[in-house]
Amino acid sequence: MTTGTISVKCRCGSDKFNVPSTRRPSDTISCARCGATGKYGDVTRTARTQAKAAVEKQLKDAFKKAGFKLK
Ligand SMILES: [Zn+2]
């Protein structure tokens, strides 16, 4: 299992972003491919939500493989 990696994908499918070195929540980041922009704080929040969902899915899959019944 990989931990500590937060990956964000733009709506264009790219995961490359121009991120300001300051990385404050109010900073604007832009997609390196299509140029879409967003607030760094919003993007990291989304990434954390996605990462959490991915981890929960991995856990559920692991439990299912182990024979647990999940509702
Ligand atoms: Zn994009």
Side-chain angles (χ1 to χ4, degrees):
M1 194 192 289
T2 53
T3 54
T5 307
I6 292 178
S7 65
V8 190
K9 274 210 175 86
C10 175
R11 58 173 177 260
C12 74
S14 170
D15 59 357
K16 299 281 187 292
F17 295 91
N18 298 313
V19 184
S21 55
T22 47
R23 298 197 177 198
R24 286 173 305 216
S26 59
D27 283 335
T28 301
I29 72 167
S30 59
C31 173
R33 190 163 154 196
C34 73
T37 57
K39 288 273 189 294
Y40 185 68
D42 291 341
V43 172
T44 50
R45 199 179 310 128
T46 303
R48 267 189 233 113
T49 306
Q50 287 174 351
K52 190 164 170 279
V55 167
E56 281 173 0
K57 187 178 182 307
Q58 282 179 351
L59 280 176
K60 276 184 187 170
D61 287 349
F63 277 128
K64 275 181 194 163
K65 277 181 195 149
F68 285 89
K69 282 194 169 63
L70 298 175
K71 285 178 186 173

